[in-house]
Amino acid sequence: MKTEQLRHLRRAVLAVAGAATLILGLAAPSQAADPVLRDLATAKGRYIGSAATASELNISSYAALEGTQFNSATPGNEMKWESVEATRGTYNWTGGDNLVSFAQAHSMQVRGHTLVWHSQLPNWLTSGTFTNDALRALLVKHVTDEVTHFKGKINQWDVVNEPLNEDGTYRASLWYNQLGSSYIADALRAARAADPAAKLYINDYNTDGTGSKSDGMYNLAKSLLAQGVPLDGIGFQGHLIVGSVPTTVQTNLQRFADLGLDVAVTELDVRMTLPATTALLTQQKADFKSVVSACLAVSRCVGVTVWGLGDATSWVPSVFPGQGAANIYDENYQPKPAYYGVAEALGWTGTVPVPTASCAVTYGVNQWNTGFTASVTVKNTGTTPVSGWSLTWTYPSGQKVTQAWNATVAQSGTAVTATNVSYNATIAAGGTQAFGFNASWSGSNPAPTDFKLNGTACS
Ligand code: XIL
């Protein structure tokens, strides 16, 4: 009761703080600021969350965005069984407690993730031999102890994670193999008993749109509800691929909501085959926007959580080789088009800032009496990739390019233009491309001072 009153008080204080910020914002209209996702979500009656691991919270840019842009946090790993009980009988709550403290300090709610899963289990559990009764008792004890430890601090628990195969049947796991599907109901009952106020979820991936796996989840949810098992919501992870977001997300979420359940997008990221190009990032914006919009179109969709907020620390490249750039902030914690897609879905109507190209050029020559070889490296110092490039400069002292490699070089009088070839068209944010050429000179051979990348002057 007291905690609930405190929460209301905190919300009221926040609302006042929010109003003050708004007034300040109006007083200084010339200062274009990025939208605050949590304010937009709150205005829509939803939350917007982001996962964070302990090490991510140690990155100041990460923590700053986590605590200001989002009003829900999910621990990336710190509440998983291998994290909390690596040694049988010895609990380590430090990572989870720190995440909860961070969330409370920033007026965020917490999604507990996750109590029963086939993955990230401690060795003593996966390599041990247990009778069925002993295993069931271990499961119930784990759920009870963890939910009790965090009681009153967790808004939603992913009680069971990823119980299904792609065809909608039960996934073979330590739990299913020995206990059958009843482990799911047991875990939910234990969680309810330990913290009656927490909303209890089953969470899975590739259930975002309609299909066999989603049908399996639907049937599971329906049968649990019919048996009176305490189940409050279904989590849809939303680990998606650029340009391949299912078109049925809204329809799918709605059918679960129609069972009387809450629904939430719990781990949204939209990966692409690297390198990121402007076209892919534009598609990614549309993809994030469509998922958030689908949630908003379903009144029981309580919120959306993104699985990490910046590309620098995403789990994607390690699990899907060659893929990445799946998040709404880039490697340098700058907002990507996808961030504005989320904001637009949440009702923001501002103008998406056009990123200005910025570049640095290194120019070196090896010269002899009449000729020289030049090596040029162009670096994209901006935060978005450059796809397709032209580097221009002038040769006021009469130098003439005769032959080039790794670029097509054209010269008209003193004006020179080097254009990418097919295999080096993209310069990743922070990345470089290099090319070279032979040229002639006489008199003097000064280095150019006026390099421009796609029309923008470089340093
Ligand atoms: C991932 C974490 O992000 C990684 O740091 C960890 O190495 C593996 O797990 N579905 C889930 C999450 O439910 O717990 C997973 O998180 C990503 C897929």
Side-chain angles (χ1 to χ4, degrees), residues 51 53 56 74-78 80 82 113-114 117 119-120 158 161-162 203-205 237 239 266-267 269 307-308 313-316 318-320:
T53 61
E56 285 168 336
T74 305
N77 289 312
E78 291 66 18
K80 293 171 181 174
E82 71 171 6
H113 176 83
T114 178
W117 193 20
S119 185
Q120 294 186 271
D158 285 332
N161 199 33
E162 304 181 349
N203 190 49
D204 215 325
Y205 64 93
Q237 291 186 3
H239 293 297
T266 54
E267 305 184 13
D269 55 21
W307 200 246
T313 57
S314 165
W315 73 303
V316 168
S318 63
V319 177
F320 305 96

Side-chain angles (χ1 to χ4, degrees), residues 214 385 399:
S214 175
Q399 299 100 318

Side-chain angles (χ1 to χ4, degrees), residues 147-363:
V147 175
T148 301
H149 176 81
F150 291 108
K151 185 177 178 185
K153 299 171 179 170
I154 304 278
N155 177 266
Q156 304 169 9
W157 265 115
D158 285 332
V159 177
V160 178
N161 199 33
E162 304 181 349
L164 300 177
N165 292 317
E166 293 305 295
D167 65 0
T169 57
Y170 291 106
R171 176 196 287 271
S173 70
L174 174 67
W175 311 115
Y176 182 73
N177 295 354
Q178 263 192 264
L179 308 178
S181 64
S182 63
Y183 81 89
I184 297 173
D186 287 356
L188 287 161
R189 289 197 181 100
R192 177 69 96 232
D195 184 356
K199 299 286 184 200
L200 307 183
Y201 278 66
I202 302 176
N203 190 49
D204 215 325
Y205 64 93
N206 285 352
T207 48
D208 316 294
T210 52
S212 316
K213 190 169 186 180
S214 175
D215 288 348
M217 183 64 89
Y218 185 80
N219 293 331
L220 171 60
K222 218 171 150 178
S223 107
L224 290 169
L225 292 173
Q227 295 166 64
V229 175
L231 173 68
D232 302 306
I234 302 294
F236 301 84
Q237 291 186 3
H239 293 297
L240 301 170
I241 298 170
V242 163
S244 301
V245 170
T247 53
T248 52
V249 176
Q250 183 188 330
T251 319
N252 191 44
L253 298 187
Q254 187 64 58
R255 68 172 172 156
F256 285 88
D258 291 343
L259 291 176
L261 292 167
D262 287 343
V263 292
V265 178
T266 54
E267 305 184 13
L268 182 60
D269 55 21
V270 184
R271 61 190 185 266
M272 62 183 71
T273 299
L274 297 172
T277 62
T278 304
L280 286 168
L281 292 170
T282 303
Q283 179 61 47
Q284 187 183 47
K285 176 186 179 197
D287 293 337
F288 268 94
K289 189 172 176 175
S290 86
V291 175
V292 177
S293 300
C295 174
L296 288 181
V298 176
S299 59
R300 292 204 67 157
C301 184
V302 293
V304 175
T305 298
V306 292
W307 200 246
L309 57 81
D311 291 338
T313 57
S314 165
W315 73 303
V316 168
S318 63
V319 177
F320 305 96
Q323 299 184 56
N327 298 89
I328 64 173
Y329 289 91
D330 70 12
E331 300 272 345
N332 303 307
Y333 298 99
Q334 297 303 306
K336 290 164 63 181
Y339 160 86
Y340 296 100
V342 171
E344 286 173 359
L346 292 172
W348 182 69
T349 55
T351 308
V352 178
V354 180
T356 49
S358 59
C359 45
V361 172
T362 322
Y363 174 88

